[in-house]
Amino acid sequence: MALLPINRQLTASLERGQRIAVVDLGTNVFGLVVGTLDADGVPHWFHRANIEVALAKDGFGNLSPATLQRAEAALQQHTNDAIDHGATALFGYGTSALRQWPHAESWLQDCSLRLSKQVHQGRRIPCELCTISGETEAETIRYGLQASGLLDQGPVLINDIGGGSVECVLCWKDSVFLAVSLPLGMRRLLQDFPVHFNPNAGPFHAEDDPIHADTRPNEPAGGPTHPQNPYLRAFEECYSSLRAVFESELGPALLAHQPLHIVGTDGPYETLARWAQAYRPEAKQITRSLCQAFGQAATQTLPHPHPSLHPLATDAIVHASALMLALSDTAQGIPIVVTDLSLREGALLTHFLHPKRPAQTPISPVVPEPNDPNNG
């Protein structure tokens, strides 16, 4: 099992009921949660906030000064929010974009020190930031769902869609049958399957190229894709590629363990759930056909306003819907259950439930200075 690199200097005195903050340092968004675990082992979430940072705006492997400025400004805001909501420490975990940047650890170490000295409302809190592997990311997400009781009924396939990577975990309670982190995040899909507009083509209309509910998206009814709908072309190309990857990476394990449903975490899955509630309120659960209807809405109504699809960018809606449908088809069309729990919640619970795990090299132990309002 991949363990979070926990600094024992910050967790040795951690008690249940004490509020802490965790930031998921994602490729697109830095997501904050403030919460605790009470004496009975029940999680409580007091505050969540997301700030878009777009770490991979200029590609992967290099972060520009402007990008780092956005990232640190977001962390400063999250630190202030954490203090406002009673957190006594802040932990941040960098994922795909940060772990591919060779200078990430040194930058996070320096940033940790600056944030730990940041005073807000007369208080400051110790902050620790580091990167984690894709394996650790997947396991931490799974652990949070297990601790919250979402893995008790039978085998499930957990899917977390990020900006740089996609985590898939096939498990039942604490038994993990397969855990993979694949470089298939939204930023990568947008780069690999861009939406190309033909300046010589006229406007497209949804009725020109319908996809019927009983037809796979790479086999549209009525012949080839209408050339005037660039969103549909991108959807079909993205779907076909992802379907092949998922079949190769997940197919044998899915066949062997037959999960009951997909557990989709946060992000695009919450967008799918909002869309289903708004446009298919009669649906009892998110099925394969409803997932495909979401893809139809994305490709046929864009670029027209579609309020329930906010906050994803229009192109990302197309690619996210293709990914979710490709995964659903690979898993034989099993239903989707959506949760707002993800990496940040799993990491927070890990600090309470495994406080004595061996620590890796500490990132930034904080020594209280004289006259520190948090000292004593």
Side-chain angles (χ1 to χ4, degrees):
M1 183 170 64
L3 307 182
L4 282 176
I6 293 176
N7 178 356
R8 284 178 293 186
Q9 294 190 26
L10 294 185
T11 59
S13 61
L14 193 61
E15 297 180 357
R16 292 194 177 188
Q18 181 178 340
R19 296 188 186 190
I20 63 172
V22 172
V23 181
D24 174 356
L25 308 175
T27 298
N28 285 329
V29 171
F30 282 8
L32 167 75
V33 66
V34 177
T36 191
L37 193 72
D38 68 19
D40 296 322
V42 178
H44 297 274
W45 313 110
F46 302 107
H47 178 66
R48 289 185 176 93
N50 295 318
I51 300 177
E52 184 175 356
V53 292
L55 291 182
K57 183 178 181 180
D58 301 317
F60 289 86
N62 184 43
L63 301 184
S64 68
T67 298
L68 295 177
Q69 186 176 16
R70 288 197 306 273
E72 186 156 357
L75 284 168
Q76 290 170 349
Q77 180 60 54
H78 279 330
T79 302
N80 290 344
D81 282 354
I83 292 173
D84 286 340
H85 289 84
T88 57
L90 181 143
F91 304 88
Y93 297 104
T95 58
S96 183
L98 280 169
R99 61 179 170 247
Q100 292 180 61
W101 182 43
H103 307 293
E105 292 299 341
S106 60
W107 179 79
L108 289 171
Q109 192 173 77
D110 293 342
C111 200
S112 297
L113 292 171
R114 289 191 292 270
L115 293 172
S116 297
K117 296 177 181 179
Q118 178 175 310
V119 178
H120 177 67
Q121 300 293 340
R123 295 183 58 225
R124 56 181 172 177
I125 57 176
C127 300
E128 178 185 297
L129 311 175
C130 65
T131 60
I132 56 175
S133 68
E135 179 188 13
T136 300
E137 184 177 357
E139 166 57 22
T140 304
I141 293 168
R142 185 210 66 79
Y143 182 79
L145 297 183
Q146 180 193 351
S148 301
L150 297 180
L151 308 181
D152 294 342
Q153 296 182 348
V156 300
L157 176 61
I158 301 169
N159 181 221
D160 182 83
I161 303 173
S165 64
V166 168
E167 280 63 50
C168 296
V169 184
L170 181 58
C171 60
W172 183 3
K173 297 183 178 179
D174 59 355
S175 297
V176 178
F177 310 119
L178 177 72
V180 294
S181 179
L182 304 172
L184 302 173
M186 288 299 98
R187 285 283 175 181
R188 294 184 183 280
L189 296 180
L190 287 167
Q191 293 173 4
D192 294 343
F193 306 100
V195 176
H196 291 296
F197 290 92
N198 181 358
N200 298 320
F204 72 85
H205 303 282
E207 62 272 14
D208 292 336
D209 49 5
I211 309 176
H212 299 308
D214 59 350
T215 308
R216 290 293 189 265
N218 58 339
E219 300 173 353
T225 300
H226 197 287
Q228 293 177 325
N229 188 338
Y231 294 104
L232 186 54
R233 288 201 307 274
F235 178 97
E236 291 175 348
E237 292 170 0
C238 186
Y239 171 91
S240 297
S241 176
L242 291 170
R243 186 77 167 81
V245 173
F246 288 148
E247 189 61 46
S248 173
E249 296 286 343
L250 309 177
L254 290 173
L255 185 62
H257 299 284
Q258 299 184 353
L260 301 177
H261 51 255
I262 295 169
V263 179
T265 64
D266 205 10
Y269 280 103
E270 283 201 303
T271 303
L272 169 61
R274 286 197 301 271
W275 179 87
Q277 186 176 24
Y279 293 91
R280 299 289 191 276
E282 73 285 355
K284 302 296 184 182
Q285 59 183 353
I286 299 178
T287 61
R288 189 265 172 203
S289 60
L290 196 149
C291 190
Q292 181 168 354
F294 177 66
Q296 292 175 335
T299 59
Q300 295 179 8
T301 65
L302 296 177
H304 305 297
H306 212 290
S308 66
L309 297 182
H310 181 79
L312 292 178
T314 53
D315 289 357
I317 297 169
V318 173
H319 293 73
S321 61
L323 189 153
M324 291 185 285
L325 185 60
L327 186 63
S328 176
D329 284 344
T330 305
Q332 305 302 313
I334 57 178
I336 297 171
V337 175
V338 179
T339 175
D340 59 357
L341 305 178
S342 190
L343 172 64
R344 55 189 176 183
E345 289 82 9
L348 188 146
L349 295 178
T350 299
H351 281 277
F352 284 100
L353 297 173
H354 290 286
K356 296 181 180 180
R357 288 178 172 180
Q360 296 183 4
T361 303
I363 294 297
S364 59
V366 178
V367 179
E369 297 179 0
N371 302 321
D372 187 338
N374 291 325
N375 186 10

